Amino acid sequence: MAAVSQVLFLKPQPGRLDAFMRDLEKASKIIKHSGGNIRAWNEVSGPNAGTVAVVVEHSDWNHFGSYMAKLESDKDWQAFMAQINSAKIPNAERMSTGINVEVPS
């Protein structure tokens, strides 16, 4: 089966990079605990310089499904998302999200 990834593009707000990095660290721990393989990429040049791509990789659709079920029922994740979504001044702007499947080669 083909690998599956989730990608979330975030643009840290001016003056909020340290807070954004703390959020990313917290999310990373929860994601890893739920079985996701997470990596973050900072675009250093190009049209979206300063944007961070957060990529969570899964071996296949079955792994993705079990991961999502575990993550969505995780109390720490629910509390984290409530905190992020209720922030009056967000640490980052959500640019886009997507789910990708590996192209066989």
Side-chain angles (χ1 to χ4, degrees):
M1 290 193 109
V4 176
S5 68
Q6 299 167 275
V7 182
L8 171 62
F9 292 94
L10 298 164
K11 180 88 168 185
Q13 297 296 328
R16 313 274 316 149
L17 183 59
D18 288 341
F20 169 74
M21 294 304 292
R22 286 190 298 273
D23 289 344
L24 184 58
E25 182 179 356
K26 189 181 297 185
S28 180
K29 288 178 184 176
I30 299 168
I31 288 167
K32 288 177 183 176
H33 181 260
S34 295
N37 179 29
I38 183 172
R39 298 206 259 167
W41 302 86
N42 182 32
E43 185 170 320
V44 295
S45 68
N48 298 308
T51 298
V52 175
V54 179
V55 182
V56 182
E57 301 170 321
H58 312 279
S59 58
D60 56 33
W61 284 109
N62 289 331
H63 181 262
F64 171 75
S66 62
Y67 159 80
M68 287 302 295
K70 188 171 183 181
L71 184 70
E72 289 174 355
S73 65
D74 187 291
K75 301 273 188 237
D76 291 334
W77 182 253
Q78 293 169 3
F80 174 73
M81 290 307 297
Q83 174 191 349
I84 294 296
N85 290 328
S86 68
K88 291 182 182 190
I89 302 173
N91 295 326
E93 178 185 354
R94 294 176 197 171
M95 304 299 286
S96 67
T97 61
I99 297 178
N100 306 289
V101 65
E102 182 180 24
V103 176
S105 56

